Amino acid sequence: MATTLAIDCGGGGLKASVLDEAGTMRARPIRVPTPYPLPPSLFVKTLVDLGGQLPGADRVTVGMPGMLRHGVVVATPHYVTRAGPRTKPDPELIAEWSGFDARTALTDAFGLPVLVLNDAEVHGAGVVAGTGSELVLTLGTGLGCALFDGGALAPHLELSQAPVRWGMSYDTYIGEHERRRLGDGFWSRRVRGVVEGLRPVFHWDRLYLGGGNSRLIRPEQLARMGDDVVVVPNTAGILGGVRAWSISAG
């Protein structure tokens, strides 16, 4: 039975586990803080070290923030900063990450087949039903986004970097920093406003809200979003590591 090492890379932490073909965890997930500054070489080393703490696997799935095309980083929002999310980007790190072939580097480092996708795309692979238009939004350090059509992954949009209000991007408008500043009640209202604003843009059949902060949305605000909006567990970021191989060519 083939096994998959699934690594969910966030702005604040890196989580990993090993899954069987059914998506069942064969080991307790482990987590380490995301180190900063994080050049690509340290990123690769950290992931290999993380995988080394788990049972051996036949392949690797990595979900990371930012725009990726065929495993190559076009842009990543957090890893180009010196000290993590909401700190100043470093020109040298921007240059190092831009065009970095993460899939090839990790394939060489692990000595295994590797799939590298946006983290919201891996998350979505673990929850979508595979019918109609399904949008996945992950709420964590910032906002992740993935769109699926009939279970197939659509081209990635970095919605998180789009302006929304007061000169703020979606990443900052409903990200972790604003949740802490506003409190869960006001933040939940803001999330509902974002959902309603995006509804006429995507016309989804189902919207999934995931990520570590989705569980903090107040029930009364979730109920007002409608029956086509559901909250899904954050563990999907790891569990999607198996299904991701069937929904994308990488």
Side-chain angles (χ1 to χ4, degrees):
M1 179 178 289
T3 55
T4 303
L5 168 62
I7 307 177
D8 183 13
C9 306
L14 310 171
K15 302 181 288 293
S17 185
V18 172
L19 315 171
D20 64 20
E21 288 180 338
T24 303
M25 290 189 189
R26 305 305 296 268
R28 183 183 297 274
I30 57 175
R31 182 187 187 279
V32 297
T34 303
Y36 290 99
L38 185 62
S41 57
L42 179 58
F43 175 76
V44 171
K45 180 182 183 301
T46 302
L47 265 57
V48 171
D49 290 346
L50 190 61
Q53 301 176 50
L54 291 162
D58 301 305
R59 63 187 185 183
V60 183
T61 304
V62 175
M64 60 174 288
M67 171 70 79
L68 295 101
R69 294 196 181 107
H70 308 291
V72 177
V73 177
V74 177
T76 185
H78 311 306
Y79 301 163
V80 296
T81 64
R82 297 293 300 177
R86 296 185 63 83
T87 64
K88 189 175 181 180
D90 182 297
E92 291 185 6
L93 287 172
I94 292 174
E96 283 192 63
W97 276 105
S98 179
F100 173 61
D101 190 340
R103 185 176 191 177
T104 297
L106 289 166
T107 296
D108 292 344
F110 278 104
L112 297 168
V114 177
L115 178 64
V116 183
L117 295 170
N118 173 273
D119 52 346
E121 294 174 342
V122 177
H123 194 105
V127 300
V128 295
T131 58
S133 176
E134 299 175 282
L135 179 66
V136 180
L137 298 178
T138 55
L139 304 167
T141 302
L143 174 71
C145 173
L147 182 63
F148 295 79
D149 180 19
L153 184 59
H156 183 65
L157 300 174
E158 267 296 82
L159 180 65
S160 63
Q161 303 307 308
V164 54
R165 288 192 73 182
W166 308 310
M168 300 172 74
S169 67
Y170 283 95
D171 236 8
T172 51
Y173 186 64
I174 55 174
E176 171 66 3
H177 182 271
E178 282 294 280
R179 185 195 67 79
R180 291 189 177 190
R181 186 182 74 85
L182 295 170
D184 290 345
F186 283 105
W187 174 80
S188 296
R189 289 172 56 185
R190 185 173 283 189
V191 170
R192 180 172 65 85
V194 164
V195 167
E196 294 310 316
L198 292 177
R199 185 182 293 277
V201 176
F202 288 95
H203 288 282
W204 57 71
D205 293 305
R206 181 65 58 89
L207 167 64
Y208 303 91
L209 298 177
N213 285 345
S214 61
R215 61 185 175 82
L216 301 176
I217 299 173
R218 292 289 176 83
E220 64 273 16
Q221 297 300 332
L222 182 62
R224 295 180 67 181
M225 294 183 204
D227 294 338
D228 58 349
V229 180
V230 294
V231 170
V232 294
N234 191 36
T235 51
I238 291 178
L239 300 180
V242 174
R243 290 183 68 192
W245 286 81
S246 64
I247 56 92
S248 172

